[in-house]
Amino acid sequence: MTFISYAQNFEDVLLNRVFKDKIKGFYIDVGALHPTVDSVTKAFYDIGWSGINIEPIKEFYNLFEQERSRDINLNIALSNSEGNLEFFQVVGQPGNSTLNKEIAEKIAQEKGLELSHNIVSVKTLAEVCKEYVDRKIDFLKIDVEGTEEEVILGGNWDVFRPTILVIETTLPGTNIRCENNIPTFLMEKGYQQVFFDGINDYYISEESGDLANFFSFPINVLDNYINYRSLEKQRTDRIIQVSSQDNNTNTQIARLITPHTEKIATIYESSNKQDYLSVVKKEGQIKIALDIAVLGLGTILETAKTGVSRVTEYLLKGLLKSHQCHIYLCTSSPDLFNACQTYINQNFEDKNLHLFHLWELKYQNIDIYHSTYYPLPNNIYFATRIITVYD
């Protein structure tokens, strides 16, 4: 069976070599960020695994609570001591958020982004394991933008010994290794470094030394995997193609999207068109709230015109051609409302398009809310969401 990889640097493909025959495993993800996007654990969760996700950003922690019911999800940060610390978020780049102020400021300055900060609860890895772990840890992944060493120093490596460690070991956005004592410390704790993928170091415990062979060569076609971004792109392209047709295509669109509720998922899989229309209840039209915050951002920040921005623009133009869709343009970021209006004025002057704040659509019986990955809104009023997750 083809393995679907969600991880940013195909870390899950390497891990799948070791665990491909294991249905019920256990992981710990420190700096989990998102349950799907760039997730090292998503593929394993989908086949029956469970674990602990540690994510200090509230909005993303909430997503784990919604989508990872088998997992233990903790809205905290980890370090080498417990307490409360200042946490720095790079606005628009949450993956670069960190407890390290210097690193956060440097990233924000280099990318022309703003920096926000708040106080978060901090625990040690040892305390988390003591409270929640009652089984063998198959792998531990740590990605905390420069504070990996502190997380490791806070572990109890004599009692809790993950089989495999995946530790980001480079400066953010580079292949340059950080200068730290992690290799020496872990060697003293009985761990052997077996692979470097350009971003992460992989370690195996000395009691699992026979696994080293799995890391003796890089990822290749024989690993039989496909990148989920490719699948999402194919699905989005197909939605645009189908929605731009003039014939009755509601059922086709329904089968292409990925719903987030069991009830609607069941109806989408049904071939009975009346079942689908009974949920939509809009006289054959699908009411779509399209979040164009990323397009507004592109009017004030040239570097924001990325692949995900282009996909959103193509999707907007395709949906506007469809007679089966009624589009509500909106923004989940109030700060970008004027920028989004500027985008509309510059590109759709001949069309009567209105822009809404997300909260204004709360009672509009929206069927589908589509957004880009960054930034996610704090409140979602719509049961069915499509998130563009590739760039």
Side-chain angles (χ1 to χ4, degrees), residues 1-14 16-17 43 218-228 230-231:
M1 180 182 296
T2 300
F3 179 79
I4 300 177
S5 172
Y6 294 85
Q8 182 181 34
N9 203 40
F10 305 110
E11 296 92 336
D12 51 359
V13 177
L14 280 171
N16 187 56
R17 285 182 186 171
I219 296 168
N220 60 81
V221 67
L222 297 180
D223 285 304
N224 191 26
Y225 72 95
I226 185 170
N227 183 351
Y228 86 103
S230 299
L231 295 178

Side-chain angles (χ1 to χ4, degrees), residues 183-383:
T184 301
F185 178 86
L186 288 176
M187 184 175 65
E188 293 173 353
K189 295 299 181 181
Y191 279 86
Q192 173 190 358
Q193 195 267 338
V194 291
F195 193 72
F196 173 62
D197 66 7
I199 296 176
N200 307 282
D201 272 330
Y202 295 72
Y203 294 83
I204 58 174
S205 62
E206 59 185 4
E207 57 268 31
S208 304
D210 57 319
L211 300 180
N213 290 334
F214 287 105
F215 300 93
S216 60
F217 48 89
I219 296 168
N220 60 81
V221 67
L222 297 180
D223 285 304
N224 191 26
Y225 72 95
I226 185 170
N227 183 351
Y228 86 103
R229 291 179 176 85
S230 299
L231 295 178
E232 290 295 324
K233 184 177 188 304
Q234 292 171 16
R235 183 180 291 113
T236 302
D237 288 346
R238 182 59 179 152
I239 290 173
I240 294 172
Q241 177 186 353
V242 170
S243 64
S244 64
Q245 298 173 359
D246 290 331
N247 59 337
N248 193 342
T249 57
N250 285 347
T251 302
Q252 294 182 60
I253 294 175
R255 289 173 178 169
L256 288 169
I257 70 175
T258 305
H260 286 252
T261 64
E262 291 183 4
K263 179 180 178 182
I264 294 182
T266 301
I267 292 172
Y268 281 159
E269 292 169 0
S270 170
S271 60
N272 189 327
K273 179 182 174 184
Q274 292 305 314
D275 282 347
Y276 172 68
L277 293 177
S278 70
V279 172
V280 178
K281 296 179 183 177
K282 298 295 179 294
E283 298 179 353
Q285 276 200 327
I286 305 172
K287 297 178 77 172
I288 300 177
L290 185 64
D291 194 329
I292 62 169
V294 67
L295 300 180
L297 185 61
T299 67
I300 57 177
L301 187 64
E302 189 68 26
T303 55
K305 295 180 179 180
T306 61
V308 73
S309 176
R310 290 189 292 274
V311 167
T312 303
E313 189 168 53
Y314 296 153
L315 182 59
L316 168 57
K317 292 178 179 178
L319 291 174
L320 287 175
K321 296 177 183 178
S322 173
H323 299 297
Q324 281 75 45
C325 302
H326 187 75
I327 310 302
Y328 294 80
L329 300 186
C330 61
T331 174
S332 56
S333 176
D335 293 340
L336 290 174
F337 189 89
N338 290 338
C340 290
Q341 189 63 64
T342 298
Y343 171 83
I344 293 172
N345 295 342
Q346 290 176 346
N347 294 274
F348 299 99
E349 188 176 3
D350 59 329
K351 295 184 180 293
N352 185 26
L353 297 178
H354 298 283
L355 179 66
F356 299 89
H357 290 288
L358 203 59
W359 58 265
E360 293 181 287
L361 301 179
K362 183 175 182 178
Y363 302 109
Q364 296 302 313
N365 296 318
I366 298 297
D367 299 303
I368 298 171
Y369 166 70
H370 180 280
S371 175
T372 52
Y373 172 35
Y374 299 127
L376 287 173
N378 293 328
N379 298 300
I380 293 290
Y381 308 116
F382 322 116

Side-chain angles (χ1 to χ4, degrees), residues 5-227:
S5 172
Y6 294 85
Q8 182 181 34
N9 203 40
F10 305 110
E11 296 92 336
D12 51 359
V13 177
L14 280 171
L15 292 168
N16 187 56
R17 285 182 186 171
V18 180
F19 301 116
K20 64 180 179 180
D21 297 321
K22 190 163 189 173
I23 299 175
K24 299 285 186 180
F26 189 80
Y27 49 73
I28 298 179
D29 192 348
V30 183
L33 191 61
H34 196 283
T36 299
V37 180
D38 294 338
S39 173
V40 174
T41 61
K42 165 68 172 172
F44 298 97
Y45 183 86
D46 284 350
I47 63 173
W49 285 45
S50 60
I52 301 172
N53 302 301
I54 295 168
E55 177 49 52
I57 301 178
K58 182 68 173 178
E59 293 86 349
F60 294 98
Y61 159 78
N62 289 340
L63 285 178
F64 278 99
E65 285 287 271
Q66 294 170 20
E67 301 180 22
R68 297 286 191 92
S69 59
R70 289 198 312 272
D71 285 349
I72 297 166
N73 305 304
L74 303 177
N75 187 210
I76 61 173
L78 294 192
S79 191
N80 57 343
S81 61
E82 296 189 6
N84 296 293
L85 291 174
E86 200 168 20
F87 183 75
F88 301 90
Q89 295 189 46
V90 181
V91 179
Q93 292 282 98
N96 292 132
S97 300
T98 175
L99 290 172
N100 189 310
K101 181 179 181 180
E102 182 180 350
I103 289 177
E105 288 180 339
K106 182 178 180 182
I107 293 172
Q109 183 178 14
E110 289 177 349
K111 298 186 177 182
L113 300 174
E114 295 182 1
L115 198 63
S116 66
H117 58 90
N118 62 289
I119 301 298
V120 298
S121 176
V122 178
K123 291 189 175 183
T124 65
L125 179 60
E127 285 300 315
V128 168
C129 289
K130 181 180 179 181
E131 184 172 355
Y132 297 105
V133 176
D134 59 0
R135 69 196 80 176
K136 176 66 178 177
I137 305 168
D138 291 296
F139 70 83
L140 164 67
K141 167 248 167 183
I142 306 174
D143 177 3
V144 288
E145 301 302 299
T147 61
E148 287 79 9
E149 184 172 3
E150 286 84 350
V151 174
I152 291 169
L153 291 175
N156 184 341
W157 298 97
D158 296 323
V159 177
F160 301 101
R161 296 184 59 78
T163 300
I164 298 175
L165 311 178
V166 183
I167 304 170
E168 187 174 71
T169 189
T170 56
L171 296 173
T174 76
N175 300 117
I176 303 171
R177 284 180 175 274
C178 299
E179 295 183 6
N180 55 48
N181 298 312
I182 291 176
T184 301
F185 178 86
L186 288 176
M187 184 175 65
E188 293 173 353
K189 295 299 181 181
Y191 279 86
Q192 173 190 358
Q193 195 267 338
V194 291
F195 193 72
F196 173 62
D197 66 7
I199 296 176
N200 307 282
D201 272 330
Y202 295 72
Y203 294 83
I204 58 174
S205 62
E206 59 185 4
E207 57 268 31
S208 304
D210 57 319
L211 300 180
N213 290 334
F214 287 105
F215 300 93
S216 60
F217 48 89
I219 296 168
N220 60 81
V221 67
L222 297 180
D223 285 304
N224 191 26
Y225 72 95
I226 185 170
N227 183 351

